[in-house]
Amino acid sequence: MKAKNIAICAVILLFFSFAAGFVYLKHLRIKMNSEAGIVAAVIVNMQIAYFDSEGKFLDVLPSSASKDLGITLTKNKYFTSMRVEADKDSFEMYAACEKGFFKGTQIYARYSKTEGMTDYRVNQKTKIWLPEI
């Protein structure tokens, strides 16, 4: 009888361990997506401010900071590098997660002075499958 009770307790413990793991991973994913939105909003807003003062958008080579835009991503937990490709009245921004659980995850956003934000995506890569939020 004791062996049966131990087996049942072990199965229950294993089940709750897996459940707790998936809850934690979903929490990480929510935090990563929140940081993605903040990074995209900061880059877009600083590009708009730069356009208003200089009359053009600024190209940013792949880096973790831009002095001209006043942006630094070095203290971020997930997205620590960015790149911006600018045209006359629009730009495309990319940001990447270069380390950790979400390594390889990228943000893409396209902004046009006439149309506003025309595209925004978070292309997520993780080591395991996670259900959609």
Side-chain angles (χ1 to χ4, degrees), residues 37-62:
I38 291 168
V39 167
V42 166
I43 293 172
V44 168
N45 286 332
M46 297 309 283
Q47 281 281 16
I48 292 170
Y50 188 86
F51 186 91
D52 290 343
S53 67
E54 301 293 325
K56 63 178 182 176
F57 290 117
L58 180 68
D59 280 324
V60 178
L61 298 174

Side-chain angles (χ1 to χ4, degrees), residues 32 78 119:
M32 183 271 303
Y78 302 106
D119 196 4

Side-chain angles (χ1 to χ4, degrees), residues 20-33 102 130-133:
F22 277 103
V23 168
Y24 177 70
L25 292 175
K26 193 163 189 168
H27 173 73
L28 283 180
R29 185 175 181 187
I30 290 169
K31 286 176 60 176
M32 183 271 303
N33 279 314
F102 294 104
L130 291 173
E132 288 296 320
I133 298 175

Side-chain angles (χ1 to χ4, degrees), residues 6-123:
I6 292 172
I8 290 172
C9 287
V11 168
I12 291 171
L13 182 63
L14 187 63
F15 172 76
F16 282 116
S17 296
F18 278 120
F22 277 103
V23 168
Y24 177 70
L25 292 175
K26 193 163 189 168
H27 173 73
L28 283 180
R29 185 175 181 187
I30 290 169
K31 286 176 60 176
M32 183 271 303
N33 279 314
S34 295
E35 185 174 293
I38 291 168
V39 167
V42 166
I43 293 172
V44 168
N45 286 332
M46 297 309 283
Q47 281 281 16
I48 292 170
Y50 188 86
F51 186 91
D52 290 343
S53 67
E54 301 293 325
K56 63 178 182 176
F57 290 117
L58 180 68
D59 280 324
V60 178
L61 298 174
S63 67
S64 61
S66 170
K67 288 183 182 179
D68 294 328
L69 292 177
I71 298 172
T72 182
L73 303 178
T74 56
K75 294 185 180 182
N76 285 356
K77 183 171 183 175
Y78 302 106
F79 297 97
T80 56
S81 71
M82 66 179 164
R83 173 173 56 98
V84 178
E85 297 173 359
D87 291 331
K88 293 179 185 176
D89 66 342
S90 66
F91 67 89
E92 294 179 346
M93 58 100 11
Y94 304 86
C97 182
E98 297 180 333
K99 59 185 176 182
F101 186 76
F102 294 104
K103 181 179 180 180
T105 298
Q106 296 181 341
I107 306 168
Y108 169 79
R110 180 162 176 74
Y111 179 86
S112 169
K113 193 69 174 164
T114 56
E115 299 174 33
M117 185 74 81
T118 58
D119 196 4
Y120 171 78
R121 290 183 295 239
V122 178
N123 300 321

